């Protein structure tokens, strides 16, 4: 006789269709919210890092400007060192720099060439040979020092620092002394021994603001020094009375889909506020020949005299006898 035993069925694990319809949207929303939070936090981190990097670059640029201003001799309305290609604004020898104008504000500094890093106590000035003494003279350190121009300018939305050197900077120093400073351009090569310093990217010309002050504690800027309507000579004259530069850099750019803005300002004063008389060297010119006077004291003796010629250090004398051929005489010291 067989017996029937009822079997018990335990429920199986899982979700019903109704439960899936309720839970699935919740899971999708939760995952979406989590991804949104991760993306937002990542973007915030990237934007913060970009803002910090921008602030650092601005401060680094301002520190470099302050250092150059302190060591400069004067502020210029344009480059006073003649350009050698490709040191011009358009990488040529024709486009000069100007502290104000169509290409935006620029800071143009006249600086002294040195034998080493100007911050080193062992560095000295590079003096020009025969200006007026030769390099073996005991008064050689009274010669005119070699000068260069340092220019801060904005081009292609980048703030650059360029060093403009005279064409003879390698040979102009007495006793073959070569200056520590080197001419720079967009790319190194040829006359330019190094590249311009790239300071800040993503900057507009209007973001670089330069003001000049007559004294370190002056509250009002010298308006003529940076007046684009003033003539270059008027701006130069105004700049000679200033000792302090105020520079402001404002930059706004996009990072990780967010707009970030950073700004910085410095005021820097020349260490030698009376150094504006040290300007760029004026190229040599041939003086006008003086009018020579003669006095005959006896039939075989004559004395020739002439007035001093400004700028002349030596005189070359040529002569002829009874209308004959001219003979190169000699060169004497002034």
């Amino acid at each position: 006789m067989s017996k029937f035993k009822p079997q018990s069925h335990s429920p199986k694990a899982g979700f019903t269709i109704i439960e899936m319809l309720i839970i699935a949207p919740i899971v999708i929303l939760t995952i979406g919210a989590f991804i949104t939070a991760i993306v937002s936090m990542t973007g915030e981190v990237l934007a913060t890092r970009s803002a910090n990097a921008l602030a650092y670059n601005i401060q680094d640029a301002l520190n470099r400007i302050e250092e150059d201003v302190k060591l400069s001799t004067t502020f210029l309305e344009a480059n006073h060192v003649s350009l050698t290609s490709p040191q011009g604004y358009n990488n040529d020898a024709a486009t000069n720099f100007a502290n104000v104008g169509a290409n935006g504000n620029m800071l143009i500094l006249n600086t002294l060439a040195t034998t080493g890093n100007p911050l080193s106590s062992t560095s000295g000035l590079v003096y020009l040979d025969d200006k007026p003494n030769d390099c073996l003279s005991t008064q050689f350190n009274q010669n005119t020092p070699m000068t260069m121009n340092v220019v801060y300018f904005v081009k292609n939305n980048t703030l650059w620092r360029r060093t403009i050197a005279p064409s003879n900077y390698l040979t102009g120093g007495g006793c073959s002394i070569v200056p520590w400073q080197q001419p720079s351009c967009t790319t190194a090569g040829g006359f330019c021994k190094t590249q311009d310093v790239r300071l800040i990217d993503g900057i507009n010309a209007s973001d670089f603001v330069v003001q000049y002050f007559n004294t370190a504690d002056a509250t009002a800027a010298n308006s003529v020094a940076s007046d684009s309507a003033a003539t270059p000579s008027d701006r130069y004259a105004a700049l000679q009375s200033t000792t302090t530069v105020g520079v402001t850099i404002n930059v706004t750019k996009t990072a990780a889909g967010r707009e970030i803005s950073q700004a910085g300002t410095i005021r820097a004063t020349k260490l030698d506020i009376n150094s504006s008389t040290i300007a760029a060297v004026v190229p040599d010119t041939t003086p006008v020949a003086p009018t020579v006077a003669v006095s005959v004291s006896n039939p075989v003796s004559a004395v020739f005299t002439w007035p001093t010629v400004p700028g002349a250090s030596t005189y070359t004398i040529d002569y002829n006898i009874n209308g004959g051929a001219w003979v190169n005489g000699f060169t004497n010291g002034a």
Side-chain angles (χ1 to χ4, degrees):
M1 179 177 178
S2 62
K3 292 183 179 180
F4 175 76
K5 284 186 177 183
Q7 296 180 355
S8 61
H9 298 278
S10 58
K12 295 182 179 180
F15 297 100
T16 66
I17 294 177
I18 296 176
E19 290 173 333
M20 288 292 293
L21 293 175
I22 296 174
I23 293 174
I26 298 175
V27 173
I28 293 173
L29 290 174
T30 302
I31 294 174
F34 178 74
I35 293 175
T36 301
I38 292 297
V39 171
S40 178
M41 286 188 293
T42 302
E44 194 67 34
V45 170
L46 293 175
T48 300
R49 188 169 71 171
S50 297
N52 290 339
L54 180 58
Y56 174 84
N57 290 338
I58 290 176
Q59 190 57 52
D60 183 60
L62 292 173
N63 289 342
R64 185 178 284 263
I65 290 172
E66 181 179 22
E67 182 179 284
D68 283 336
V69 168
K70 287 181 177 180
L71 296 176
S72 66
T73 63
T74 188
F75 312 135
L76 300 175
E77 87 296 351
N79 54 284
H80 280 204
V81 174
S82 297
L83 296 172
T84 300
S85 182
Q87 287 214 285
Y89 179 80
N90 289 329
N91 301 325
D92 54 14
T95 314
N96 288 311
F97 295 86
N99 72 322
V100 293
N103 294 321
N105 293 324
M106 302 180 188
L107 177 60
I108 307 174
L109 306 173
N110 195 61
T111 62
L112 298 173
T114 55
T115 58
N117 190 323
L119 298 178
S120 172
S121 59
T122 60
S123 296
L125 298 180
V126 176
Y127 294 100
L128 295 173
D129 198 15
D130 297 323
K131 296 289 185 175
N133 308 301
D134 64 58
C135 73
L136 299 179
S137 170
T138 57
Q139 297 179 316
F140 180 66
N141 61 357
Q142 297 179 16
N143 280 19
T144 301
M146 180 183 292
T147 59
M148 297 186 178
N149 292 162
V150 172
V151 185
Y152 288 88
F153 64 101
V154 176
K155 187 177 182 181
N156 298 330
N157 297 112
T158 298
L159 177 62
W160 303 92
R161 178 188 184 271
R162 175 168 296 181
T163 301
I164 301 176
S167 59
N168 67 335
Y169 81 101
L170 289 174
T171 58
C175 296
S176 302
I177 297 176
V178 177
W180 177 81
Q181 293 81 359
Q182 295 182 323
S184 66
C185 299
T186 303
T187 56
F191 179 75
C192 293
K193 305 306 179 184
T194 186
Q195 287 182 298
D196 294 338
V197 179
R198 189 182 193 122
L199 297 169
I200 300 173
D201 291 324
I203 181 173
N204 297 318
S206 58
D207 294 330
F208 186 59
V209 181
V210 183
Q211 293 181 304
Y212 305 90
F213 300 86
N214 290 355
T215 61
D217 56 356
T219 57
N222 186 316
S223 58
V224 178
S226 56
D227 184 1
S228 59
T231 64
S233 59
D234 286 343
R235 293 202 311 274
Y236 177 74
L239 285 166
Q240 302 320 293
S241 63
T242 64
T243 64
T244 302
V245 166
V247 176
T248 299
I249 298 176
N250 299 288
V251 183
T252 299
K253 58 194 305 185
T254 301
R258 292 165 171 77
E259 188 177 86
I260 58 174
S261 297
Q262 294 289 353
T265 300
I266 58 104
R267 280 184 63 155
T269 301
K270 297 183 297 182
L271 292 178
D272 184 358
I273 62 175
N274 298 313
S275 61
S276 60
T277 55
I278 306 175
V281 176
V282 177
D284 291 332
T285 57
T286 302
V288 177
T291 300
V292 179
V294 60
S295 62
V296 179
S297 57
N298 60 61
V300 294
S301 177
V303 177
F304 298 89
T305 60
W306 58 86
T308 301
V309 178
S313 56
T314 59
Y315 298 90
T316 299
I317 300 173
D318 297 334
Y319 65 92
N320 66 28
I321 300 176
N322 296 329
W326 284 96
V327 178
N328 181 262
F330 61 92
T331 301
N332 74 323

